[in-house]
Amino acid sequence: MIEDKNISKTELGSLGEFGLIDRLTQNFSLKNPSSILGVGDDAAILETPKDQQLVLSTDFLIEGIHFDLSYMPLKHLGYKAVSVNISDICAMNATPTQITVSLAVSNRFSLEALEELYSGIALACQAYKVDLVGGDTTSSTSGLVISISAVGMAKKEKICKRSGAQNNDLLVVSGDLGAAYLGLQVLEREKQVFKANPNAQPDLANYPYLLERQLRPQARLDVIGLLEELSVKPTSMIDISDGLASEVLHLSKHSGLGFSLYEDKIPLDPSTITTAEEFGINPITAALNGGEDYELLFTVPLEDHPKIKANPNLTVIGFASNKTLNSVLIDKSGENSIPLSAQGWNHFKS
Amino acid sequence: MIEDKNISKTELGSLGEFGLIDRLTQNFSLKNPSSILGVGDDAAILETPKDQQLVLSTDFLIEGIHFDLSYMPLKHLGYKAVSVNISDICAMNATPTQITVSLAVSNRFSLEALEELYSGIALACQAYKVDLVGGDTTSSTSGLVISISAVGMAKKEKICKRSGAQNNDLLVVSGDLGAAYLGLQVLEREKQVFKANPNAQPDLANYPYLLERQLRPQARLDVIGLLEELSVKPTSMIDISDGLASEVLHLSKHSGLGFSLYEDKIPLDPSTITTAEEFGINPITAALNGGEDYELLFTVPLEDHPKIKANPNLTVIGFASNKTLNSVLIDKSGENSIPLSAQGWNHFKS
């Protein structure tokens, strides 16, 4: 659990800003035809294919807020930072093509630590077939700050926004929910155990799926391909970064509709259910408010139901049920409608 | 000098992340036809006009590293953060079109402080005719971190890289150099005076140009227009963020050429010269190594000399003199060639 992040130490000051960028990006090459010029100039040059539009997203990951290096291996962090951004591109129903990565690092990081971070970024670039085309590297007065921008491209008529859902549309989610949040609970518990007794062996082997979901999430680029295959174009879409409840409310606000969700339809992995029990957490609460699942949430017209109903990657969890902004969770009895409220993580609440 | 940054205090925690983004961006509207969708979805949507390519750049500005809030008004900081990024787009000979702005802020900032920052960003968006189309807002464990990505567009054949300079090309710079660095010296001196005696009146009135250059630099979008007017397409171009010497060496490395610069041709404002004297600094050193001038440095073929020689905005300061990477400064006597070395600011040197 607690890895040695400073195997060998080359101080960053010995390289300088340009030496550092050159060193970290030396093994990256451009693979997409839309990447005309990559790292090393004042700006990258991109070419959008004819009839396509470009989508652009940006996200911060900040040490002490979004990640804790005491249990987040740097390589995984690099991978996750890219996934989080690629997930936004997927949420537009676009194909990710390029990223830029900017780092602010304090002097406590060695070159080798940053190379480890970049090895995870490189793996993610391979997995998502995107090119690293730019970035900025500077020092920070405290901790590590990662800022990634992601670019994707798609035909204009294929792009999905948060708005566009129609009344009676089905609400569909990919994969399962709540696992990343429970992975975080496991890691936090083991951190406390380790703090109390540094010789204690961390108890992580029993939670492989939950830890994978927390430490190395996958953006659902495969679902974008699947939708294309199934000839399904969502009427609205968003990725689940802050918890299902918060994202449903975003779709609701942007589309001007209220949704009804069925509690017993929310997809949960068996290990999410057992671990939630272990922690005394309702797994539905983990799904609604936990966040970091990076699954896709979207709406499709009722007539598309036959196309998706048998797919193991997709679950219909509700529908757009009214033209107000009132969304509800219908409990397992089917008798109680609980108003949905976003209890997603508010970074600014102390 | 020392302004009250907390005129009125609305705590960020009372708004939440989404409330904050909505509030800060509510007065921004999309003006460029290439901006299809702005802030508020998972990603912005852009459309590159036919036959054009897109350029993308990103830069960090970090409190305590790139700016000091004890003398940098937040409105100016917002303006400068945009200028720095637009300058990169100009350096590609492209027209800036969109920016995204991501902020990490600690709880010590109030909503009103961030609104002040965004008022500067809004002014810059107006000045450069760019649209704010996205961003991320999160908390930080310490200080303020700004990450901006800038997008520009240009016809493929118009775009300039750092590579492309040819032997005997003229080396040209816009505006004058060294002033921003001296502005910083003035501000640092007054900060020390203020620390020693908080009742002392800051002595800033005598340095309007230098302070403007440091606190509110302009990206030279006008020069991009001027080059178009003059039918000059630079063979290579870069913007001066780290000092003239560092940028000449970048053009040298990317183009595979050495440059000769004439010390007596380097453009200096009279106030740069007098203030450099006051501080016991060689103004040429301020120009070579000071940085933050955000002027454009470019090369043009010798035959373009008639087109630029009479222009008050442009100065020929040297030429590509050899096919090695050895660049020199020829001193005022014309007899001594001093090898050029980048002493630009190394963020990682402690």
Side-chain angles (χ1 to χ4, degrees), chain B residues 201-220:
Chain B
Q201 282 302 307
D203 171 26
L204 296 173
N206 292 330
Y207 311 93
Y209 180 68
L210 305 183
L211 296 176
E212 175 89 10
R213 295 283 284 174
Q214 171 56 227
L215 296 176
R216 206 168 171 286
Q218 297 293 330
R220 297 307 303 263

Side-chain angles (χ1 to χ4, degrees), chain B residues 64-76:
Chain B
I65 308 284
H66 299 99
F67 58 87
D68 182 335
L69 288 176
S70 65
Y71 50 68
M72 176 56 112
L74 282 162
K75 190 171 178 178
H76 283 22

Side-chain angles (χ1 to χ4, degrees), chain A residues 17 40-42 44 46-48 53-57 59-60 62 66 104 136 138 142 147 149 162 239 254 347, chain B residues 17 40-42 44 46-48 53-57 59-60 62 66 104 136 138 142 147 149 162 239 254 347:
Chain A
E17 186 185 343
D41 216 298
D42 292 280
L46 310 181
E47 194 163 69
T48 316
Q53 289 180 330
L54 180 144
V55 296
L56 171 66
S57 174
D59 258 313
F60 258 138
I62 295 176
H66 300 99
D136 188 16
T138 184
S142 74
S147 174
S149 288
R162 295 180 178 179
D239 72 320
H254 282 79
H347 296 289
Chain B
E17 187 185 343
D41 216 297
D42 292 280
L46 311 181
E47 193 162 70
T48 316
Q53 290 181 329
L54 180 145
V55 297
L56 172 64
S57 174
D59 258 312
F60 258 138
I62 294 175
H66 299 99
D136 188 16
T138 184
S142 73
S147 174
S149 287
R162 293 180 179 181
D239 72 320
H254 282 78
H347 297 289

